[in-house]
Amino acid sequence: MRLATQFLARLILLIPTALILPSYAAPLPLDDLIRPPEVHQVKLSPNGSHIAVLRMHEGERVLVFMSISPLKVTGSLRLRGKEEVGGFFWANDERVIVSTINSQVAADAPVNYGSWFAVNADGSKGENILAFSGGMQLGTRIKRRAGYVHAEIIDPLVDNEKEILISTYTWARDRASRGDVYRVNIYTGVRQSISDLPVPGGRAYTDERGELIFANGTNRNNDYELYTKTDRGWEQVTHPILRNATPVGYDHDRKLSYLVLNTPDQTQTLISWDSKNQKLEKIIQNDIVDISSVIKHPRTSKPIGVHLNPDYPTVEFFDEGDGFAPLYRGMKKAFEGSNIHFTSFSRDGKKGLLEVSGDRMPGDFFLVDLETKKVDFLLSSADWLQPDDLNPMHAGHFVSSDGLRISTYLTFPKGTEKTGKLPMVVIPHSAPQARDFWGYSTEAQILSQNGYLVLQVNFRGSTGYGDRFYDAGKNQWGDNVQRDIAEGVQWAIDQGYADADRVCIYGASFGGYSALMNPIRNPDLYKCAAVYGGVYDLELLYPGGHVHHGGQGTNYLSPSIDLDKEEMRANSPLQLYDQLDLPMFIIHGREDESAPVVHAETILGELKKNGKPAQSLILDHEGHVFHNIENRRLLYAQLLDYLDTHIGAGAAKSEPTTLNH
C-alpha cells in the first residue's frame, strides 16, 4: 500500500461579516487532479505468469504486457491513426484479443465500432481479425448487411486455443436487420457461420462451453424479446416471467441458467431456471437497487453472488463457491472502505487479479493467491495521488415530496464534515439515463479541494433503481427531475451542510441542461450556474446531436421527453432565458457533435441581446468533453475563479466588513 503524505498547513480566513470560512488543507495542485489515470485495467494470463495492462501513453490508450516475476515489460501494442486499445482479454497463454476504439475529437468518449485485433503477448503477430467500416468488412471476405455492424465476443472457448465465438448486430435504420453468430480463428481472422439471430438489436448467449442457449433483442416496436435455442432452431420464450429476463450465466453441475429479471415497478431480480423441469427460483432481489453485476466462481464461472450499489458498494453471495465467498469477504474486510472486484483469474482458479478503488483511490491492482491468501501489490492507476490527501465521499438519501427515495453523494473539503454551512456546488449527472456512484470523482475532488462541498443527486429517471424509479423520469426532464435536484439542494441546506446563500449549480451535457433549467424553476436557490457542453433547446436535438445518430433518434428520445413541440419549448432553457437572472458561465467545444456548439452560440447571443451577458469559454479542436490537457487546465482554472467570485472567498471579500469581538 502506498504511504500517505503528511497534511499540509491549514489556513484560517476570518471575514468580518459574521461569515467565517472554515479551515481547509491547502489544495492539491490542479495539474495532479486533471491528470488522467495512467493505468485503466489489468488482467491476468490463463497460466498466471503475465499481465496485460491497459494504460495511457502520450495521450493514447495502449496495451502493455508484463511478466509478474520479475515485474517487467515483455511487449506492447499501440494502434495506428485514431484507433486506440479499448477492452481486451486473454484468449490463451500467448494471444490477447483487443477491441479497437476510435478517438474522435467530437465524441465525449472514444467510439467502439465493434472491431477486434489479436496480438501475441510479446507484441508480435498482430492481426485485424474483425473490422467493420463503411460499406464493407475489413479483413474478411464475408459481405455484411446494410448498416454499421458491431461484433461482441460471447464465448472465449477456453478449451479451444485457436477460436472464439462472436455475435454481431447491425446499426440499421430499419431496425429489421439481424445479426449472426460466428466462430473466428484468432490467428487468421477466418470465420465460420454458426447461426443467424432471431431478432434485431441483440446478441446470443452460450453456456460458456460453446453451446448456444439464448438470444435476445428488440422487435420493430422496440419491445424486448428473448429466445432459446432448441433442436428446431430459435424459439421465442413465452413464459410470463422469463420473457423479460436477460441471461447472465450457467451452472453446468446443476444444469441451471441464471437470468436477471426486469419486472415493472420493481428492482431487478436474479433468478435460476431449470429448463428440463420447468422450474424457476428467485435468488436475490434488493429493495433499493438493481443488480450491478454477477460474481462468478473463478474456476467454473458459475454465478455465486452479485455486486450491488445502493449507497455504498456491497456484495451478496448465494453460494459459498467452494470457499471463494469467504475469501472474497476477507478481501473486502482487508480493504475496508474500498470497492473491490476481481478482473480475471488464472485458468486453474488459483490466482486472481484484484482491483481496489474508492472515493480517495482511483484504483490499485493486486495479485491474489487464492490458496494461500497472499496479496501482492502490482500497479497503481495514479501513483501521484495519495489517499490521505484526497477528500471522502459520503452517501445519503432523502425522500422526495412525492415519496421517492432519492440517493445523494456529498464530498466535503477535508476536515469540514462537522463545520456546516459550506459553499456548495451541485453537479447533476451528465445523462438522464445514467447514475452517480460512490467512488473517485475528478470533479468532486477538484471542487472540494478548493473549499466547496459537492452534492450529486440520483434524480428520478436515473438507472439502477428499478423500473418504477426509471419510469418516473419519463417526460419529466424539465419538471420532476429538476424538482428532485432542487429538493436535494434544500435537503443539504436543511441538514446544515450547505450555506443557503452560497450555492452554485454546474453540469455537463444533460447536467448542463439542468444547470440552467433548475435556476429557471428555482430562481431563489442559486447564486450562479456553470454549463459544460450543455443542451439548451430540445428541438435542436433533432437536426444533430445525441438523438439523431444511427437513424434511431426518435426511439431514443421519446421515452425520455414529450416530443410535442410546445412541450419541448416549455422545457428548453433557450426559450425561457428571460427567467435567468443569475451569473452564468457557458463552456463548449466547437467540434461537439453530441450537443452541437449552436446550442451555446444561440443562447449566448440571446442573453447578450437582452442585456444578460454570460462568461464563456468556447474552444476550437474540442468536442463534447475536453481532452487536451492544456484546455482542461484552462477550463477548471476558469471555473474555480468563477466560483470564487460568486460563492467563494472572493464573494466574501466583496461584502461589507464588521468586526465581531
Side-chain angles (χ1 to χ4, degrees):
M1 298 294 290
R2 295 170 292 167
L3 296 176
T5 58
Q6 295 181 344
F7 288 145
L8 299 175
R10 300 177 184 272
L11 176 65
I12 300 177
L13 297 176
L14 179 61
I15 306 300
T17 60
L19 170 65
I20 299 178
L21 297 182
S23 65
Y24 303 125
L28 288 174
L30 181 58
D31 281 0
D32 285 352
L33 295 171
I34 65 173
R35 181 179 172 185
E38 289 186 351
V39 176
H40 289 261
Q41 188 59 275
V42 183
K43 292 183 180 179
L44 187 64
S45 65
N47 62 10
S49 66
H50 286 70
I51 55 175
V53 182
L54 177 61
R55 63 174 300 134
M56 299 300 293
H57 176 70
E58 298 179 349
E60 296 181 20
R61 295 167 178 81
V62 303
L63 197 62
V64 175
F65 305 105
M66 304 179 73
S67 60
I68 292 178
S69 183
L71 190 63
K72 67 176 184 179
V73 174
T74 60
S76 64
L77 172 66
R78 184 177 185 178
L79 299 175
R80 297 178 180 179
K82 292 185 177 181
E83 288 193 335
E84 299 180 17
V85 175
F88 65 95
F89 76 95
W90 289 86
N92 56 42
D93 290 333
E94 72 167 0
R95 197 79 167 156
V96 175
I97 311 300
V98 174
S99 67
T100 63
I101 55 179
N102 190 282
S103 55
Q104 300 177 2
V105 170
D108 51 349
V111 179
N112 183 348
Y113 289 117
S115 299
W116 294 85
F117 193 90
V119 63
N120 282 356
D122 60 2
S124 67
K125 298 183 179 179
E127 180 75 23
N128 199 345
I129 61 171
L130 290 165
F132 302 93
S133 177
M136 62 176 293
Q137 290 182 349
L138 304 179
T140 173
R141 296 178 181 177
I142 299 178
K143 294 182 179 180
R144 67 172 179 83
R145 296 165 181 157
Y148 285 97
V149 176
H150 182 91
E152 183 173 357
I153 296 173
I154 60 172
D155 197 320
L157 301 177
V158 294
D159 294 325
N160 185 332
E161 292 283 311
K162 295 184 178 181
E163 294 179 314
I164 56 175
L165 278 186
I166 69 162
S167 183
T168 69
Y169 64 87
T170 62
W171 292 94
R173 293 178 181 271
D174 59 8
R175 296 186 63 84
S177 299
R178 296 176 295 166
D180 301 277
V181 178
Y182 295 100
R183 185 183 295 269
V184 180
N185 187 293
I186 62 175
Y187 291 92
T188 66
V190 173
R191 69 182 72 176
Q192 174 189 356
S193 178
I194 301 300
S195 173
D196 62 354
L197 295 182
V199 64
R203 54 161 286 185
Y205 297 83
T206 74
D207 63 356
E208 302 191 26
R209 293 184 182 177
E211 294 297 323
L212 297 176
I213 53 175
F214 289 109
N216 63 3
T218 53
N219 61 25
R220 287 180 177 270
N221 297 320
N222 207 30
D223 296 323
Y224 178 83
E225 292 180 350
L226 180 68
Y227 290 77
T228 185
K229 187 73 168 176
T230 71
D231 293 339
R232 296 178 296 276
W234 293 110
E235 295 185 359
Q236 187 172 358
V237 174
T238 57
H239 191 288
I241 296 178
L242 281 178
R243 65 185 182 186
N244 291 317
T246 302
V248 293
Y250 192 79
D251 182 347
H252 282 272
D253 292 336
R254 301 174 62 194
K255 307 300 181 185
L256 294 178
S257 296
Y258 287 87
L259 304 97
V260 170
L261 174 65
N262 290 288
T263 305
D265 297 327
Q266 296 184 30
T267 53
Q268 291 177 339
T269 306
L270 180 68
I271 59 175
S272 66
W273 170 245
D274 180 344
S275 59
K276 181 178 180 180
N277 298 308
Q278 297 289 292
K279 181 181 178 181
L280 184 151
E281 181 180 354
K282 176 180 176 179
I283 306 297
I284 287 177
Q285 182 181 32
N286 184 272
D287 292 337
I288 299 172
V289 292
D290 292 333
I291 293 163
S292 295
S293 61
V294 173
I295 301 172
K296 297 185 178 182
H297 190 278
R299 183 173 47 80
T300 66
S301 293
K302 72 174 182 179
I304 59 174
V306 296
H307 291 281
L308 301 167
N309 282 277
D311 294 315
Y312 297 99
T314 63
V315 295
E316 186 173 341
F317 288 94
F318 55 88
D319 185 322
E320 291 301 286
D322 301 322
F324 180 70
L327 181 142
Y328 200 108
R329 295 187 192 102
M331 292 291 112
K332 186 76 172 173
K333 186 175 181 179
F335 294 101
E336 190 172 3
S338 299
N339 189 20
I340 70 168
H341 84 277
F342 283 91
T343 70
S344 51
F345 300 96
S346 59
R347 186 184 293 108
D348 59 13
K350 295 180 179 180
K351 294 180 181 179
L353 203 298
L354 183 72
E355 181 178 4
V356 181
S357 61
D359 54 346
R360 297 179 299 127
M361 182 190 299
D364 286 351
F365 297 90
F366 300 82
L367 180 66
V368 180
D369 188 312
L370 303 184
E371 292 186 319
T372 66
K373 301 180 177 59
K374 182 183 178 184
V375 180
D376 292 313
F377 173 77
L378 292 176
L379 298 168
S380 174
S381 61
D383 58 9
W384 59 92
L385 295 175
Q386 300 300 323
D388 285 351
D389 291 335
L390 298 168
N391 296 326
M393 177 184 285
H394 298 274
H397 72 275
F398 66 92
V399 178
S400 70
S401 54
D402 59 350
L404 289 180
R405 183 189 190 276
I406 308 293
S407 295
T408 63
Y409 293 104
L410 286 167
T411 303
F412 288 83
K414 190 175 295 294
T416 66
E417 286 90 342
K418 297 182 180 180
T419 301
K421 292 194 173 182
L422 299 167
M424 184 174 78
V425 180
V426 55
I427 307 179
H429 53 73
S430 60
Q433 300 166 348
R435 62 158 289 184
D436 286 318
F437 293 88
W438 180 88
Y440 185 81
S441 165
T442 295
E443 292 192 325
Q445 288 298 327
I446 289 172
L447 296 177
S448 65
Q449 287 282 330
N450 286 274
Y452 301 102
L453 171 65
V454 177
L455 170 66
Q456 296 167 275
V457 180
N458 280 327
F459 44 79
R460 70 190 63 209
S462 299
T463 52
Y465 293 93
D467 277 2
R468 177 171 174 261
F469 191 88
Y470 177 79
D471 290 342
K474 292 180 178 178
N475 300 328
Q476 295 296 319
W477 279 17
D479 292 317
N480 288 338
V481 166
Q482 302 307 318
R483 188 180 69 186
D484 288 345
I485 297 169
E487 289 183 355
V489 172
Q490 192 60 52
W491 166 81
I493 293 170
D494 293 343
Q495 295 296 311
Y497 302 135
D499 184 342
D501 294 325
R502 292 186 293 161
V503 178
C504 185
I505 185 168
Y506 160 70
S509 195
F510 177 79
Y513 165 85
S514 296
L516 290 191
M517 203 67 204
N518 218 272
I520 290 170
R521 298 291 191 234
N522 307 277
D524 299 326
L525 200 55
Y526 302 101
K527 293 297 183 184
C528 59
V531 186
Y532 179 12
V535 173
Y536 310 118
D537 189 346
L538 298 182
E539 288 187 274
L540 286 177
L541 290 174
Y542 277 99
H546 275 305
V547 301
H548 190 64
H549 288 307
Q552 300 180 24
T554 302
N555 287 316
Y556 168 84
L557 186 59
S558 57
S560 302
I561 66 171
D562 194 322
L563 295 181
D564 178 79
K565 286 192 174 183
E566 290 304 315
E567 283 296 317
M568 285 195 286
R569 289 169 183 165
N571 290 283
S572 293
L574 180 61
Q575 307 299 328
L576 306 169
Y577 66 85
D578 59 320
Q579 300 178 40
L580 288 165
D581 290 312
L582 78 171
M584 288 167 278
F585 183 19
I586 307 296
I587 306 159
H588 223 100
R590 202 170 291 280
E591 296 186 36
D592 190 339
E593 289 184 357
S594 296
V597 72
V598 65
H599 283 271
E601 292 172 338
T602 304
I603 198 166
L604 283 169
E606 291 297 326
L607 290 170
K608 182 178 181 180
K609 185 167 59 178
N610 288 273
K612 299 182 179 184
Q615 181 178 335
S616 64
L617 176 65
I618 299 180
L619 296 181
D620 296 331
H621 312 300
E622 290 288 4
H624 200 48
V625 173
F626 291 4
H627 294 292
N628 179 277
I629 195 69
E630 297 297 330
N631 290 339
R632 286 171 56 80
R633 182 184 297 113
L634 180 63
L635 185 165
Y636 290 112
Q638 289 197 15
L639 177 63
L640 290 171
D641 285 344
Y642 171 80
L643 294 172
D644 179 73
T645 298
H646 297 292
I647 62 172
K653 290 174 184 176
S654 66
E655 298 188 14
T657 60
T658 56
L659 291 176
N660 294 315
H661 297 287

